[in-house]
Amino acid sequence: MNLIETFQNLVAQVPELVQPLIVALAAAVPFIEGEGAAAIGIAGGINPVVAAIAAIAGNFLCVAILVLASSGARQAIVTSRTRKRELALAGGSETVIEDVAVVESTDSDRKAARKAKFQRALLKYGVPGVSLLGPLLLPTQFTATMLAAAGVTKARILFWQALAIIGWTTIITVLISGLVHAVS
């Protein structure tokens, strides 16, 4: 069964008070996100403003959790590599293990190409451009995680991702609401 249809059916079957929670849950799913979840809510009969707010909250909460987790993981890796280098140098060894080179050599060509493409986009458009334009190509969850892995600060990622989520969800909500209003 289609995931979007499942969420639409669920919204229609639960009490009115629970419907925004279902929309928020749908918004946490990559490729559905805030935009799709708002549309699911509106199609399920929820007030467009309530659907949009629930979708924004669900999408942003998921992104925030992923950014915090991936930033923490990146920091742990950077700290570990720094300690290894310091220990190697303190031990009198002139050979410092280059973890980055080892990791990159194990990446597949396809993964390395995607990573390079993201790095070029980040250099060209910056965090604002990647965050605001990213939803056209990738879910916000993926974009935010890649920004954290690239070393962008959590606050900067969350600020621009919030703007992107609010903007795209609002645009789609207005369009869907207009279509529903025009049809009825």
Side-chain angles (χ1 to χ4, degrees), residues 150-170:
V152 178
T153 63
K154 293 179 277 198
R156 187 171 166 101
I157 296 168
L158 293 175
F159 174 78
W160 286 105
Q161 287 297 309
L163 284 180
I165 291 167
I166 291 167
W168 285 107
T169 303
T170 301

Side-chain angles (χ1 to χ4, degrees), residues 34-135:
E35 307 91 85
I40 288 169
I42 294 167
I46 298 176
N47 178 301
V49 174
V50 173
I53 291 170
I56 289 167
N59 194 187
F60 184 75
L61 180 61
C62 178
V63 167
I65 290 168
L66 289 171
V67 167
L68 295 174
S70 55
S71 290
R74 181 185 189 282
Q75 186 58 45
I77 291 168
V78 168
T79 302
S80 173
R81 287 181 182 169
T82 303
R83 273 189 74 161
K84 285 180 184 177
R85 287 185 183 124
E86 289 171 355
L87 289 172
L89 290 173
S93 170
E94 293 189 21
T95 305
V96 177
I97 299 171
E98 291 295 331
D99 292 329
V100 176
V102 173
V103 170
E104 287 179 358
S105 68
T106 61
D107 283 348
S108 68
D109 290 338
R110 189 171 164 192
K111 187 176 178 182
R114 280 186 293 201
K115 187 176 178 180
K117 186 175 183 177
F118 177 78
Q119 289 294 340
R120 283 193 306 273
L122 183 57
L123 287 173
K124 186 174 182 179
Y125 302 111
V127 175
V130 170
S131 294
L132 295 171
L133 298 174

